[in-house]
Amino acid sequence: MYGSEAVSHDSERTAFRKAEKKYKLYYDHNKSSKKKKQPRPVDLSEVIDFESILDSFNRNGELPPETFLSPCDFDRPVFCLKSRPGFYFIPGAISVEEQCRWIRESLTSFPQPPNRTNHNAIYGPIDDLFLAARERRVLVEENSSYAGGGSDSNSFACKVDGPIWKFSKEPGAPSRGNMSKSMLASVLLRKLRWSTLGLQFDWSKRNYDVSLLHNKIPDALCQLAKKMAAPAMPLGEEFRPEAAIVNYFGLGDALGGHLDDMEADWSKPIVSMSLGCKAIFLLGGKSREDLPLAMFLRSGDVVLMAGEARECFHGVPRIFTDNENAEITPLELQFSDQDDLCFLEYIRTSRININMRQVF
């Protein structure tokens, strides 16, 4: 469902794969130049820009031929695409204050056990990863020669079947022979790719395992998801957030084309909230051979996919982290306090996506 898929030789030639490669970040390498490598220019002329569409609509009420306004009773314009029934785009739906709140929670609370992350498979559950990164700590195997900080009262233990890992004060210069038994918390934070809230998804079996210990999704996030889901909900029904997957993107990261097809009722939407750096979202059809539509996703945008749209392949081939294209100035202004600089440092080169689901 999420993460990079094994790409066969045939799939390299599909329309979706070609679009992914078109927008993917590549660098021009000039061996004769000592200058910093530069991103290869990409043609963005065919990318749908719902922010510009909203501005035009507010000025003169006009919309592009492919786009129409949802007739739902909502507090802001909700756009739909004629060729993709069940797809809804709400530009700027989340206030800057709420964006900052959920960025903080995504980094400090959402990766906390018993919620699972991509690090569980190797290190087991990891407590307080963001705090450990701020304090320049290192995750070490307990029987490693680096574990001399074991008596440190500020160490955080991470237990897993097999080795026991703990955060200790960062060693000065680890020797080459011990590198495999330690990892800087800051590196682990940058390698954080996903965390799961509510009902936990079992990646090996590709289903939800209700027996796995989990925390409830925060009520405030549930209320936000219910509000945002309303335009896509069947008449008279309310969205029930039961699970969420939080994706973390850094420079050069991508989310390969996939379907979200493990929930029981596809009439209920996936509620997708974008935070941080601007990205390109690809919305394909029911086959990878269908030419996908590319669109910009900015911080605060919300996408809903319900009904037929749940059968459409989709992915994120590119995020923009440069000053010209990231478009995170409102977040930079909001994260102005000294205590917020750690969050600002992260989000300047990152994107977070919260996907809320009704499982049953």
Side-chain angles (χ1 to χ4, degrees):
M1 186 162 64
Y2 275 86
S4 299
E5 300 178 3
V7 179
S8 69
H9 182 68
D10 288 341
S11 67
E12 286 284 345
R13 296 193 291 264
T14 66
F16 198 97
R17 182 59 178 162
K18 289 177 180 177
E20 287 179 316
K21 295 175 75 172
K22 174 181 177 179
Y23 294 111
K24 182 180 177 180
L25 175 62
Y26 293 102
Y27 290 99
D28 286 324
H29 295 279
N30 187 347
K31 295 182 179 180
S32 63
S33 174
K34 294 183 179 180
K35 294 182 180 179
K36 184 179 178 181
K37 59 182 180 180
Q38 296 296 317
R40 187 178 302 171
V42 58
D43 180 6
L44 302 175
S45 61
E46 296 180 349
V47 181
I48 299 171
D49 189 340
F50 280 102
E51 183 177 76
S52 295
I53 290 173
L54 176 62
D55 289 343
S56 176
F57 177 76
N58 288 336
R59 287 197 311 271
N60 53 40
E62 295 181 354
L63 291 172
E66 166 70 10
T67 308
F68 67 96
L69 196 65
S70 171
C72 64
D73 182 18
F74 203 66
D75 62 3
R76 63 182 58 244
V78 179
F79 298 109
C80 303
L81 298 171
K82 294 177 182 178
S83 63
R84 300 294 191 275
F87 176 81
Y88 304 79
F89 196 109
I90 315 176
I94 305 174
S95 70
V96 176
E97 292 78 12
E98 282 189 298
Q99 292 173 47
C100 291
R101 174 182 182 177
W102 298 119
I103 289 170
R104 293 187 188 98
E105 293 293 312
S106 295
L107 293 172
T108 59
S109 300
F110 295 167
Q112 286 287 88
N115 297 341
R116 304 169 79 198
T117 76
N118 57 293
H119 290 318
N120 279 61
I122 298 176
Y123 304 105
I126 298 178
D127 289 291
D128 300 315
L129 174 59
F130 190 74
L131 175 61
R134 286 183 64 181
E135 296 181 349
R136 298 177 60 82
R137 292 181 172 270
V138 62
L139 189 68
V140 297
E141 195 174 357
E142 188 176 48
N143 60 0
S144 167
S145 61
Y146 294 174
S151 60
D152 183 354
S153 61
N154 291 323
S155 294
F156 307 108
C158 308
K159 296 184 178 180
V160 65
D161 292 337
I164 297 177
W165 299 80
K166 73 171 78 174
F167 281 123
S168 294
K169 289 183 178 179
E170 181 179 336
S175 63
R176 184 178 300 273
N178 283 324
M179 286 298 287
S180 62
K181 295 185 179 181
S182 71
M183 181 68 72
L184 294 175
S186 58
V187 174
L188 285 171
L189 180 63
R190 277 298 169 190
K191 291 187 175 182
L192 182 65
R193 292 293 174 263
W194 54 263
S195 61
T196 50
L197 313 180
L199 294 177
Q200 299 290 289
F201 191 79
D202 188 327
W203 300 93
S204 61
K205 299 177 181 177
R206 294 197 77 249
N207 62 21
Y208 290 94
D209 188 342
V210 297
S211 68
L212 290 175
L213 184 65
H214 62 275
N215 291 328
K216 290 184 63 177
I217 299 172
D219 184 65
L221 185 58
C222 286
Q223 294 305 316
L224 179 61
K226 288 179 182 180
K227 175 186 175 182
M228 295 300 158
M233 287 297 293
L235 186 64
E237 297 189 39
E238 185 179 61
F239 184 65
R240 299 196 314 270
E242 296 169 322
I245 298 177
V246 185
N247 293 109
Y248 305 83
F249 299 79
L251 178 64
D253 289 341
L255 183 62
H258 64 281
L259 298 174
D260 294 307
D261 55 1
M262 291 295 106
E263 292 73 36
D265 185 354
W266 289 5
S267 71
K268 308 303 188 296
I270 297 282
V271 181
S272 178
M273 309 177 192
S274 289
L275 305 168
C277 292
K278 186 173 71 176
I280 291 179
F281 177 72
L282 291 179
L283 177 63
K286 298 180 182 181
S287 165
R288 293 182 186 273
E289 296 294 347
D290 296 326
L291 185 66
L293 300 172
M295 60 197 74
F296 289 123
L297 283 175
R298 294 178 173 87
S299 195
D301 290 345
V302 170
V303 163
L304 310 175
M305 297 178 69
E308 287 188 45
R310 291 291 299 268
E311 303 178 61
C312 293
F313 284 91
H314 54 282
V316 178
R318 178 77 172 265
I319 74 163
F320 297 92
T321 61
D322 59 287
N323 292 334
E324 182 180 355
N325 293 298
E327 299 188 27
I328 58 167
T329 299
L331 295 177
E332 292 177 322
L333 295 174
Q334 192 70 23
F335 279 137
S336 58
D337 293 342
Q338 185 68 30
D339 291 342
D340 287 331
L341 294 182
C342 54
F343 300 106
L344 177 58
E345 180 184 5
Y346 179 91
I347 209 64
R348 272 179 170 157
T349 58
S350 304
R351 175 180 180 263
I352 298 172
N353 195 62
I354 304 176
N355 294 276
M356 308 283 287
R357 297 115 187 284
Q358 180 171 324
V359 178
F360 301 111

